[in-house]
């Protein structure tokens, strides 16, 4: 039995390495699963610079930023969200030729990786893309939309006025697709009238130069021109005498599928010198594929001058229909027997650009003569320089301004045009002039990116990049050399960007690139939170003391419930000031607005209502009129005023609610990688329109004016009830703080948002604390007996209680005086009013006599008694008899 544990331990020891190995394999599989799940065929899906530049990952923005074409589930995995949400996504128009794609990719890398601007490409059709960061590494070269209308789209109509030039807002469905772009890196023929009309309408900017000179021409293989020097000039091509020569020399190219179906004896089921196999589904239209199809040129009936002596033609490769070349016009009017129409049944359709590139490679591989319309600078031209298959330009009649104007007026090379429209007038036959290549920028891009509503620190630098971007012919040659040598076009462009990074950095505007650093809560903000808490505690203590001393005459005469409303309003304002100083959110901004405005209304409205009631009572007492007051009515008045404010706040919150607003501030600080730091802070904005806040402050000012006017009117009230001095100080204090609030509204642009919020919080706190000191401190701690202002009232109250003389002022609620007013040890006034026992007539006479004899003392005491009685019994309906 003793051997079992040891044998069990031995088994565990032997199994331990297996268990560890299984555990580690599971861990490795789990940890590598996300990478496998998001493995992209595009090695630059995360960016070119972070993949190839040492130390680039030390940057804060080390990945490229996401754009609208990135799959939603991969945002944050293969790209970073833009740090500046104000950056409008730039869409770059890319032509479907290599140089245009190359330049577009360079600009996209600068914007997306060096400057953090989201950028996509426009390929002209739904589902097509030439995006450098395409997850599936696609390069669709099927379409090239018209540049003028495409780049003009963001500055045109509702897209500019309602959507700020955002191309994402245009239809993007299979049924409806509208091409849209902000910039084109390479544009030819900007002198055309259609282009100039867009410039005049401010839909396009005057085209800035790209820095390169382009040339479109008819080219012939060098070995062909060396075998027959007459073939490099229109003199050796024109006329019927050269028809046979051209038809014999320039055979027609054959696609891979056509070769297998029409030429191969075994339909490419067995490899031969031309094709190694039958083409797969997407290879049928290929003209050349290294190692699989060498290309093939053959005679067709169109080359047979025996069969067609006056109509036979040689072959010439022309642009796809829709691309302007002028070739067909020249061939027609110069009598050159070459056929540029290579569509079915002679339709005016040329080859795709990729087919034309493959065609030249096939001519070189098979040593077949080829004439083709092409352009420079371009990788194909660059790749054959110095070889016997070099592209040799064919001389045409020289270009003149007259020829150019006639071409613009008479030649229409659209796919739908008939022969007459395509060839135009005979005066349109001439060669193409060298073209200063240009960039195209949408007309209102500067105003879009530099809008006054966009903070200066968050301005999109794309416009400056578009203006500064330049590439020379020499640099373009370097790009094409890499294009031909690299494994993929993306590899070529990324490598050129890395090799020329210092040059590209010169294009970047000063203070860019920029990164965001969120500003933590400032010491000022923490101090305002503490001050708000102190204000709230002070007001809470005042509420407690008012409740504790509620029997004091000063508290009773000031009306306890009105004081509570006053203090509750102050407490709400102090809470609102705290919410204004904490880290903002939409909820805290709305709550702060409500607390502050409702608080100020409860702080001021009861004061206005109470002082107005006192003035009415004094006026009635002076005129010896009966006045009926009801506390419920006074409360309803306060509730009604507050309800008006609440309705306003509801409308404000529903239409244009206060919200958290971001603020961007430039600093002079740079990171180790040269990134300028922009500080991001948040503050509470009153809404998109400042009108709401001005109305709210105006409302507070209106209540203050009413309170001030009423306070002035009470300056002649008997001293016991005269709060005119206190109210004047209180109104002065409130007005001072309201003026300061208005000052900060008017000059708000001179303060940062968070500082402005903290300053307003400071005003709210100090305003309420000052109100407590000015209004409540005297009522709680001043000894009224020392003033002698209440002794006459106490004597009169005691006398009235004992005599019950019917001529004295009385209420329908006799004996409703507060107990504090009816103390048994009240001092005897200097002028005592004695009870009288008279008949009715005598009583009337004595009343008049008494009033006259004691006008200086008794009359004052009489009014004082009536008002004090009125205030003390205002809980129910109260009547004062004249």
């Amino acid at each position: 039995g003793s051997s079992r544990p040891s044998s069990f331990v031995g088994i565990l020891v032997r199994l331990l390495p297996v268990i560890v190995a299984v555990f580690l394999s599971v861990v490795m599989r789990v940890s590598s699963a996300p990478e496998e799940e998001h493995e992209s065929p595009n090695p630059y899906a995360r960016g070119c610079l972070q993949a190839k530049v040492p130390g680039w990952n030390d940057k804060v923005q080390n990945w490229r930023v996401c754009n609208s074409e990135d799959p939603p589930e991969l945002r944050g995995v293969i790209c970073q969200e833009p740090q500046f949400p104000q950056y409008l996504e730039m869409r770059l128009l890319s032509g479907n030729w290599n140089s245009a794609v190359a330049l577009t990719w360079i600009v996209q890398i600068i914007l997306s990786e060096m400057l953090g601007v989201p950028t996509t490409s426009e390929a002209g059709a739904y589902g097509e893309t030439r995006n450098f960061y395409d997850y599936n590494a696609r390069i669709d070269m099927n379409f090239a939309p018209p540049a003028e209308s495409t780049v003009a789209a963001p500055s045109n109509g509702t897209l500019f006025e309602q959507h700020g030039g955002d191309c994402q807002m245009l239809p993007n469905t299979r049924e409806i697709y509208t091409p849209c772009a902000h910039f084109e890196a390479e544009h030819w023929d900007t002198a055309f009238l259609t282009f100039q009309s867009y410039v005049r309408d401010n839909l396009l900017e005057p085209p800035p130069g790209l820095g390169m000179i382009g040339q479109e021409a008819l080219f012939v293989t060098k070995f062909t021109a060396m075998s027959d020097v007459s073939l490099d000039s229109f003199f050796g091509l024109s006329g019927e005498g050269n028809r046979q020569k051209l038809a014999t020399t320039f055979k027609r190219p054959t696609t891979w599928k056509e070769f297998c179906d029409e030429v191969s004896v075994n339909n490419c089921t067995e490899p031969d010198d031309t094709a190694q196999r039958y083409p797969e589904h997407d290879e049928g239209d290929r003209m050349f594929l290294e190692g699989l199809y060498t290309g093939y040129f053959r005679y067709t009936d169109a080359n047979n001058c025996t069969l067609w002596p006056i109509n036979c033609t040689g072959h010439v490769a022309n642009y796809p229909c829709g691309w302007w070349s002028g070739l067909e016009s020249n061939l027609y009017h110069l009598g050159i027997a070459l056929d540029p129409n290579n569509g079915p049944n002679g339709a005016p359709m040329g080859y795709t650009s990729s087919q034309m590139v493959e065609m030249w490679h096939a001519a070189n591989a098979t040593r077949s003569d080829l004439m083709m319309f092409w352009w420079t600078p371009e990788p194909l031209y660059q790749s054959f320089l110095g070889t016997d298959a070099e592209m040799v330009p064919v001389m045409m009649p020289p270009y003149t301004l007259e020829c150019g104007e006639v071409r613009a007026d008479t030649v229409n090379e659209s796919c739908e045009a008939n022969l007459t429209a395509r060839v135009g007038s005979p005066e349109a036959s001439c060669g193409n002039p060298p073209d200063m290549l240009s960039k195209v920028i949408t007309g209102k891009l500067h105003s879009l990116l530099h809008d006054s509503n966009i903070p200066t620190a968050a301005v999109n630098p794309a416009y400056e990049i578009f203006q500064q971007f330049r590439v020379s012919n020499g640099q373009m040659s370097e790009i094409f050399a890499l294009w031909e040598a690299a494994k993929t076009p993306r590899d070529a462009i990324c490598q050129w960007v890395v090799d020329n990074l210092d040059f590209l950095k010169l294009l970047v505007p000063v203070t860019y690139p920029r990164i965001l650093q969120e500003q933590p809560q400032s010491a000022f903000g923490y101090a305002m939170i503490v001050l708000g808490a102190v204000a709230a505690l002070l007001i809470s203590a005042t509420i407690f003391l008012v409740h504790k001393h509620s029997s004091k005459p000063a508290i009773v005469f000031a009306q306890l419930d009105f004081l509570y409303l006053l203090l509750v309003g102050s407490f709400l304002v102090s809470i609102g000031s705290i919410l204004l100083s904490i880290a903002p959110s939409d909820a805290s901004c709305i709550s702060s607005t409500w607390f502050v405005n409702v608080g100020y209304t409860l702080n001021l409205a009861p004061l206005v209502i109470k002082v107005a009631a006192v003035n009415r009572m004094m006026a009635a007492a002076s005129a010896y009129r009966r006045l009926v007051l009801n506390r419920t009515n006074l409360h309803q008045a306060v509730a009604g005023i507050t309800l008006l404010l609440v309705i306003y706040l509801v409308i404000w919150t529903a239409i244009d609610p206060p919200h958290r607003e971001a603020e961007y501030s430039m600093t002079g600080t740079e990171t180790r990688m040269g990134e300028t730091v922009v500080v991001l802070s948040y503050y509470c904005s009153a809404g998109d329109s400042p009108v709401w806040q001005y109305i709210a402050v105006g409302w507070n000012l209106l209540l203050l004016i009413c309170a001030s006017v009423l306070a002035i009117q009470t300056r002649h009230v008997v001293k016991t009830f005269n709060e005119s001095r206190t109210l004047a100080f209180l109104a002065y204090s409130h007005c001072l703080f309201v003026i300061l609030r208005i000052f900060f509204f008017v000059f708000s642009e001179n303060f940062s948002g968070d500082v402005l919020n903290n300053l307003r919080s400071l005003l709210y706190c100090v305003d309420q604390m000052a109100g407590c000191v000015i209004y409540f401190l005297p009522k709680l701690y001043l000894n009224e007996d020392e003033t002698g202002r209440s002794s006459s009232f106490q004597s009169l109250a005691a006398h009235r209680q004992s005599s019950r003389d019917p001529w004295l002022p009385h209420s329908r609620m006799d004996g409703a005086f507060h107990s504090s007013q009816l103390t048994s040890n009240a001092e005897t006034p200097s002028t005592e009013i004695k009870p009288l026992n008279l008949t009715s007539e005598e009583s009337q006479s004595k009343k008049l006599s008494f009033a006259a004899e004691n006008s200086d003392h008794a009359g004052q005491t009489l009014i004082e008694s009536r008002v004090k009685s009125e205030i003390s019994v205002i809980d129910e309906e109260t009547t004062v008899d004249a």
Side-chain angles (χ1 to χ4, degrees):
S2 62
S3 63
R4 288 183 180 177
S6 62
S7 62
F8 178 71
V9 172
I11 293 173
L12 284 180
V13 170
R14 287 192 294 271
L15 289 177
L16 184 60
V18 178
I19 296 173
V20 171
V22 171
F23 174 76
L24 290 177
S25 66
V26 171
V27 170
M28 292 294 292
R29 184 176 303 171
V30 171
S31 62
S32 63
E35 294 296 327
E36 294 175 1
E37 179 183 352
H38 302 301
E39 188 66 28
S40 169
N42 183 354
Y44 308 108
R46 283 191 176 91
C48 160
L49 300 179
Q50 70 91 33
K52 288 199 170 188
V53 177
W56 192 264
N57 286 326
D58 295 336
K59 293 172 65 70
V60 174
Q61 186 86 42
N62 50 16
W63 290 2
R64 55 97 179 179
V65 295
C66 300
N67 58 61
S68 59
E69 294 183 4
D70 287 313
E73 66 276 8
L74 296 182
R75 297 178 76 95
V77 177
I78 61 172
C79 59
Q80 293 177 327
E81 293 295 338
Q83 289 201 327
F84 294 89
Q86 295 87 353
Y87 281 2
L88 176 68
E89 179 176 281
M90 293 290 100
R91 189 174 293 182
L92 312 178
L93 175 60
S94 171
N96 57 346
W97 58 93
N98 294 338
S99 58
V101 173
L103 296 176
T104 300
W105 283 355
I106 294 171
V107 175
Q108 188 174 14
I109 292 172
I110 295 173
L111 291 176
S112 297
E113 301 186 41
M114 298 175 65
L115 294 172
V117 178
T119 312
T120 61
S121 68
E122 174 61 71
Y126 175 79
E128 298 281 312
T129 184
R130 291 191 275 276
N131 187 347
F132 180 81
Y133 306 109
D134 180 67
Y135 187 76
N136 295 311
R138 293 178 300 161
I139 310 176
D140 299 320
M141 305 288 274
N142 300 318
F143 296 93
E148 293 86 351
S149 59
T150 300
V151 181
S155 300
N156 199 2
T158 57
L159 185 62
F160 172 78
E161 296 168 359
Q162 298 181 13
H163 302 299
D166 189 352
C167 288
Q168 298 180 68
M169 305 306 297
L170 287 175
N172 185 9
T173 64
R174 190 178 302 276
E175 293 75 20
I176 303 175
Y177 184 85
T178 303
C180 174
H182 301 95
F183 175 74
E184 184 186 27
E186 179 187 320
H187 188 83
W188 297 63
D189 303 318
T190 55
F192 280 179
L193 295 179
T194 53
F195 188 96
Q196 294 302 318
S197 67
Y198 280 100
V199 174
R200 285 195 302 270
D201 294 338
N202 199 30
L203 297 177
L204 297 176
E205 286 202 353
L210 175 59
M212 292 194 305
I213 297 176
Q215 176 73 61
E216 291 179 293
L218 183 62
F219 292 94
V220 64
T221 47
K222 183 177 180 180
F223 56 78
T224 303
M226 293 177 66
S227 64
D228 186 350
V229 294
S230 67
L231 295 177
D232 63 0
S233 168
F234 73 97
F235 292 113
L237 302 175
S238 300
E240 285 297 316
N242 291 313
R243 180 180 294 275
Q244 177 76 38
K245 178 178 66 175
L246 295 178
T248 304
T249 304
F250 297 107
K251 297 181 284 187
R252 283 170 167 77
T254 306
T255 65
W256 191 352
K257 186 175 186 303
E258 288 174 340
F259 172 80
C260 293
D261 292 343
E262 301 174 11
V263 179
S264 174
V265 294
N266 54 26
N267 298 115
C268 298
T269 56
E270 296 180 5
D272 56 26
D273 294 338
T274 302
Q276 299 300 305
R277 59 172 173 79
Y278 195 85
E280 296 180 355
H281 66 282
D282 59 345
E283 298 173 336
D285 291 333
R286 300 291 297 267
M287 295 289 184
F288 175 85
L289 186 58
E290 185 72 38
L292 294 176
Y293 180 58
T294 62
Y296 187 78
F297 290 81
R298 56 176 172 160
Y299 291 112
T300 67
D301 287 344
N303 296 83
N304 191 339
C305 291
T306 302
L307 184 62
W308 308 102
I310 61 173
N311 292 323
C312 62
T313 58
H315 171 268
V316 62
N318 193 15
Y319 286 162
C321 71
W323 286 27
W324 198 95
S325 67
L327 175 62
E328 187 171 11
S329 176
N330 281 339
L331 297 178
Y332 183 84
H333 293 298
L334 295 175
I336 299 175
L338 294 173
D339 182 13
N341 299 319
N342 300 291
N345 299 319
M349 297 177 65
Y351 300 97
T352 66
S353 59
S354 59
Q355 282 182 315
M356 296 176 76
V357 170
E358 293 172 356
M359 196 182 301
W360 199 273
H361 282 281
N364 177 56
T366 61
R367 315 308 290 174
S368 299
D369 300 312
L370 177 62
M371 194 169 281
M372 183 172 81
F373 199 84
W374 203 241
W375 74 95
T376 64
E378 202 279 329
L380 181 66
Y381 177 88
Q382 180 75 23
S383 65
F384 283 97
L385 280 177
T387 70
D388 62 352
E390 182 177 327
M391 302 181 77
V392 176
V394 176
M395 186 181 72
M396 288 289 173
Y399 176 86
T400 63
L401 289 178
E402 179 185 2
C403 177
E405 292 174 356
V406 173
R407 275 184 173 181
D409 292 337
T410 64
V411 177
N412 177 4
E413 291 191 328
S414 65
C415 299
E416 297 80 17
N418 58 31
L419 177 62
T420 302
R422 295 198 306 272
V423 300
S425 171
E427 291 79 11
S429 57
C430 59
N432 294 329
D435 198 339
M436 296 293 295
L437 302 186
S438 302
K439 299 168 293 186
V440 183
I441 305 174
T442 191
K444 300 173 183 176
L445 184 63
H446 185 272
S447 61
L448 286 173
L449 302 187
H450 292 261
D451 188 272
S452 58
N453 295 322
I454 299 176
T456 303
V459 169
N460 189 331
Y463 179 81
E464 286 72 22
I465 292 297
F466 295 158
Q467 286 285 354
Q468 295 297 323
F469 182 69
R470 297 284 192 282
V471 175
S472 68
N473 284 76
Q475 290 171 318
M476 203 72 230
S477 297
E478 293 177 356
I479 293 173
F480 293 152
L482 288 170
W483 189 284
E484 291 298 319
K487 182 179 179 181
T488 68
R490 286 183 171 88
D491 290 321
I493 298 305
C494 183
Q495 187 59 53
W496 187 88
V497 168
V498 172
D499 294 343
N500 293 270
L501 192 57
D502 290 337
F503 164 74
L504 296 178
K505 286 180 178 179
L506 297 176
L507 306 178
V508 175
V510 178
T511 75
Y512 288 92
R514 297 174 180 176
I515 61 165
L516 280 181
Q517 287 185 1
E518 189 166 337
Q519 179 176 317
Q521 181 77 295
S522 64
F524 188 20
Y526 283 120
M528 290 306 97
I529 294 174
V530 172
L531 184 62
V534 170
L537 289 174
L538 175 62
I539 295 166
S540 300
T542 305
I543 294 174
F544 171 76
L545 292 173
V546 167
H547 178 74
K548 180 179 179 180
H549 298 285
S550 59
S551 60
K552 290 191 66 172
I555 302 297
V556 173
F557 302 151
Q559 293 300 293
L560 185 62
D561 47 356
F562 277 78
L563 296 182
Y564 282 150
L565 286 175
L566 225 71
L567 289 168
V568 168
S570 294
F571 184 79
L572 293 179
V573 173
S574 65
I575 297 299
S577 71
I578 295 174
L579 291 173
L580 200 57
S581 295
I582 64 174
S585 66
D586 289 345
S588 68
C589 294
I590 294 174
S591 301
S592 174
T593 301
W594 276 72
F595 275 114
V596 168
N597 286 282
V598 173
Y600 266 112
T601 300
L602 291 178
N603 196 250
L604 297 174
L607 202 62
V608 174
I609 299 299
K610 190 196 78 168
V611 176
V614 170
N615 284 341
R616 290 174 59 199
M617 287 190 295
M618 298 313 301
S622 300
Y624 290 91
R625 289 185 291 103
R626 172 173 293 181
L627 177 65
V628 179
L629 292 175
N630 188 292
R631 182 183 300 273
T632 303
N633 292 338
L634 300 182
H635 287 174
Q636 288 176 349
V638 175
I641 293 175
T642 307
L643 180 62
L644 288 177
L645 176 74
V646 169
I647 293 173
Y648 173 72
L649 290 175
V650 169
I651 296 174
W652 181 356
T653 305
I655 296 178
D656 186 13
H659 56 272
R660 185 180 79 161
E661 190 81 23
E663 184 173 51
Y664 302 84
S665 304
M666 289 289 297
T667 70
T669 307
E670 287 189 358
T671 66
R672 185 172 60 87
M673 300 297 291
E675 300 158 303
T676 301
V677 175
V678 174
V679 173
L680 171 64
S681 59
Y682 294 99
Y683 68 96
C684 284
S685 170
D688 295 332
S689 172
V691 174
W692 303 101
Q693 191 75 300
Y694 280 112
I695 292 175
V697 176
W699 170 255
N700 293 343
L701 191 60
L702 176 63
L703 293 177
L704 277 174
I705 293 173
C706 294
S708 301
V709 171
L710 292 171
I712 293 173
Q713 292 177 353
T714 62
R715 67 188 184 280
H716 299 303
V717 173
V718 291
K719 292 182 179 180
T720 304
F721 305 100
N722 194 339
E723 295 184 311
S724 61
R725 178 173 297 180
T726 305
L727 290 176
F729 276 121
L730 185 62
Y732 175 79
S733 173
H734 282 318
C735 282
L736 176 63
F737 287 104
V738 168
I739 290 172
L740 288 174
R741 288 165 62 190
I742 293 175
F743 171 83
F744 286 125
F745 288 143
V746 173
F747 297 98
S748 60
E749 293 184 356
N750 298 322
F751 302 90
S752 63
D754 59 330
V755 170
L756 194 61
N757 275 354
N758 290 327
L759 288 172
R760 288 171 180 165
S761 177
L762 175 64
L763 294 180
Y764 295 151
C765 292
V766 177
D767 189 10
Q768 300 311 308
M769 295 169 71
C772 280
V773 172
I774 292 171
Y775 191 70
F776 289 95
L777 185 62
K779 298 184 183 301
L780 292 171
Y781 293 105
L782 288 185
N783 188 350
E784 294 192 18
D785 291 339
E786 294 177 0
T787 67
R789 294 175 5 184
S790 63
S791 58
S792 60
F793 164 74
Q794 293 168 353
S795 299
L796 179 61
H799 173 72
R800 178 184 176 190
Q801 191 71 8
S802 62
S803 66
R804 313 296 284 172
D805 191 344
W807 69 271
L808 289 174
H810 63 278
S811 166
R812 288 183 290 186
M813 295 182 60
D814 290 334
F817 291 98
H818 197 282
S819 60
S820 66
Q821 302 164 355
L822 300 175
T823 56
S824 59
N825 58 353
E827 296 180 6
T828 304
S830 59
T831 303
E832 183 178 356
I833 302 176
K834 299 180 179 180
L836 300 175
N837 295 315
L838 302 174
T839 63
S840 176
E841 294 179 359
E842 292 172 337
S843 174
Q844 183 67 21
S845 175
K846 290 294 183 179
K847 291 177 189 175
L848 298 175
S849 172
F850 177 84
E853 293 174 0
N854 299 280
S855 59
D856 292 337
H857 300 287
Q860 178 70 21
T861 305
L862 176 65
I863 295 173
E864 187 173 328
S865 172
R866 299 168 73 112
V867 176
K868 285 185 175 180
S869 174
E870 179 67 26
I871 293 179
S872 65
V873 297
I874 202 169
D875 289 325
E876 302 293 342
E877 185 181 90
T878 302
T879 304
V880 177
D881 293 327

